[in-house]
Structure formats: C-alpha cells, structure tokens
Amino acid sequence: MAFTRATAQLAEKLTEKLTGLTESLTEKHHLSSRSVRTRAGLVGAAAVAVTGVVGAAATPAIAAPGEGSGTYALGFVQAMAVGDTIADDVRAQAQAQQRVADAAAEKAAAEKAAEEKAAKEKAAKEKAAKAAEAAKEREAAAKREAAAKKRANERADRSAERRSATGYVDPVAGVDTTTTYKQAGASWSSGKHSGIDFPANTGTPVRSVGPGTVVTVGWGGAYGNQIVIRHDDGKYTQYAHLSATKVSAGQKVGGGQQIGAVGSTGNSTGPHLHFEARNGAHYGSDFNPITYLAGKGVDV
C-alpha cells in the first residue's frame, strides 16, 4: 500500500516536470503538433518508470522523431532511474522492517525460554528442599522411635531383674503411667480416679504383676472387660478395659504371665489399661497402686 502511494506521487511529480519541459521546448521550436506527441510520450514514460512496466504502448513515444527526441529520451531515462531508486528504497525499507520483526521474535522466544528454565529450576529447588525437610523429619522420627525403644528395653530389663528377686513386674512392659491415683474428674462415679492408667495400643499384652489366683474374669460395667487377681500376700489387683482375656476364674498365674490385652471397653476414651490395687476383690477397697508396686521393687 505504501509503495502504491509513493508510485502515484512520483508519477504526478514526473508528469508536472515533464509537462513544463515540453511546453518550454514547444515555445522554443514552435512545434505544436510535435509537442503534443512529445508531452504524451513523456507522460507515458513517467507512468512506465514508476510502475516498472515497459509495454508496447510506450514504443511510439520512445521513437518520436524530430528535435525533441533527444530531450524526450533523456527525460525517459531519468524517470526510469528515479522510479527504480524509489522501488529499491521501498524494498530496502521492507527488508529492514522484516529484520526488526525477526529480531523481536527471536528476543521474545529467548526470554520465554529463559523464564521457563528459571521456573523449572525454581520448582526443582523447592522439590529438593521439601525432600530434604521430609528426610530430616523421618530422621528425627527414627531417632525418637529408637529412644523410645531404648527406654522400653531398659525398663523391661529392670523389670526382669526385679522379677527375678521379688516375682513382681509392671502390668504393661515399658509404658509410663498417665492418669494418676485419686486424680479428680467427672469421668469417674466417685469423682476421683481409683487407679492408674497405662496408655498402649489395643492388643498390647497385659501381665499379672505377681503370682496369685484369678478370682474374677468378665464384664465389669464401667470397667469393661476386667480381671481381678488375689495375690499370695492377700492383696488384690484389677486389670480393666481389656480387649481380650486369656485366663479363667480359679486359675493360678505367675508374676509376668500374660493374662489379657489392652483395649478400650467400658467407660473409656481410648485404648489403655486401668490398673488398681485393692484390699478386697470389689470396688471401693482400693489403695495407691504405685505404693503397692514400689513395695515389690517395681518402679512405674
């Protein structure tokens, strides 16, 4: 479109100049009829020059006879030269614009590739950081688990040593107590806790703390599944909220023998062993179980 407008403007300017030249030549040589032919030839030459097409219609004008032929030939050559120059300029300008567009496209592609690379590197770093954090957490968890196992083993070793001397052990190996004896709370009918609790997973073995005879096995209301044992010293121990029992009433048991498994039956908020020391077989005769076990050399 720009080239067409430039061509039209060139044709108009060449026509004006060649027309003026023709009129000057006409006045000088008084060649009226020849000047008309010369003017027409020059206008045609200008049009041919700016369009870049030399057709058969231009031939008579180029071959115009007489004194004006030399002037005409010169004007035609000049017009053709100017037309070619403008055409070359237009092509050069288009080529320059194309080079600029290509360079801009290459720059945009390079910037996009750089952004994608940076995004991938950032994602890789974040992934590596998360993996490192997860590995650190797993390592810390493994250390905590190892420490817990070590404490449990040490407690079991101490219990074994005490059992060899007294025949008594703690009811759940390697587990620390939580709810204390006589702790106040609305969860108990008397308003106070009548024993101590050993939190452990359901199914964890429950042991008789010392040698004795089983006097009660079965459902104990709020205690859930329970076992009561009379020991050789005349004292009783109770094991409540069991998920399973492995003894029967009247059975003799030894210290450390498994009699059941931890559970959450009866009035319970989660798996644990409720343990009581009693002066009699029934509820209400309890005394401090930690003091009882400590008297047998068992530290809980």
Side-chain angles (χ1 to χ4, degrees):
M1 183 65 72
F3 179 76
T4 302
R5 288 197 298 270
T7 301
Q9 293 171 359
L10 174 61
E12 183 179 353
K13 290 181 180 180
L14 287 176
T15 299
E16 292 175 356
K17 289 183 179 181
L18 292 175
T19 299
L21 179 61
T22 301
E23 291 175 350
S24 177
L25 291 173
T26 301
E27 291 176 0
K28 181 178 181 180
H29 299 287
H30 304 286
L31 300 174
S32 300
S33 60
R34 183 177 297 174
S35 68
V36 172
R37 290 194 300 273
T38 302
R39 182 184 301 173
L42 290 171
V43 173
V48 170
V50 296
T51 58
V53 179
V54 179
T59 303
I62 295 173
E67 296 177 1
S69 63
T71 303
Y72 170 76
L74 177 60
F76 180 81
V77 171
Q78 290 174 341
M80 290 296 293
V82 172
D84 289 343
T85 299
I86 292 177
D88 290 341
D89 289 344
V90 172
R91 284 193 296 271
Q93 186 178 23
Q95 291 172 354
Q97 291 176 349
Q98 185 62 46
R99 287 193 295 271
V100 171
D102 292 342
E106 291 178 359
K107 181 180 179 181
E111 290 177 350
K112 182 178 180 181
E115 290 176 357
E116 292 177 350
K117 181 179 179 182
K120 289 181 179 179
E121 291 177 350
K122 181 179 179 181
K125 289 181 179 179
E126 291 177 351
K127 184 177 180 180
K130 289 181 179 179
E133 184 66 23
K136 184 178 180 180
E137 179 59 29
R138 288 194 298 270
E139 182 180 359
K143 288 182 178 179
R144 290 193 297 269
E145 183 178 359
K149 287 182 178 179
K150 181 179 179 180
R151 289 193 300 269
N153 291 334
E154 290 175 349
R155 179 182 289 275
D157 291 342
R158 290 195 300 270
S159 295
E161 292 174 357
R162 296 188 189 102
R163 181 173 57 187
S164 63
T166 65
Y168 279 76
V169 298
D170 47 358
V172 182
V175 177
D176 294 327
T177 62
T178 53
T179 310
T180 59
Y181 180 64
K182 293 301 182 182
Q183 179 175 323
S187 299
W188 307 290
S189 59
S190 65
K192 293 184 179 180
H193 196 221
S194 55
I196 57 177
D197 290 341
F198 292 83
N201 294 329
T202 297
T204 301
V206 174
R207 310 180 295 184
S208 173
V209 295
T213 304
V214 177
V215 295
T216 301
V217 177
W219 188 257
Y223 288 111
N225 293 326
Q226 66 163 351
I227 297 172
V228 177
I229 297 175
R230 183 182 186 281
H231 296 285
D232 295 343
D233 62 359
K235 302 298 181 180
Y236 295 79
T237 56
Q238 180 205 36
Y239 311 78
H241 305 310
L242 302 175
S243 62
T245 58
K246 296 182 177 298
V247 293
S248 57
Q251 180 180 340
K252 296 286 187 179
V253 296
Q257 179 179 336
Q258 183 178 357
I259 57 176
V262 171
S264 186
T265 58
N267 184 16
S268 172
T269 58
H272 69 282
L273 171 69
H274 174 84
F275 175 77
E276 290 188 16
R278 295 177 175 175
N279 290 311
H282 303 289
Y283 171 77
S285 60
D286 54 272
F287 63 94
N288 193 334
I290 293 179
T291 302
Y292 177 69
L293 292 176
K296 302 295 183 180
V298 178
D299 181 19
V300 294

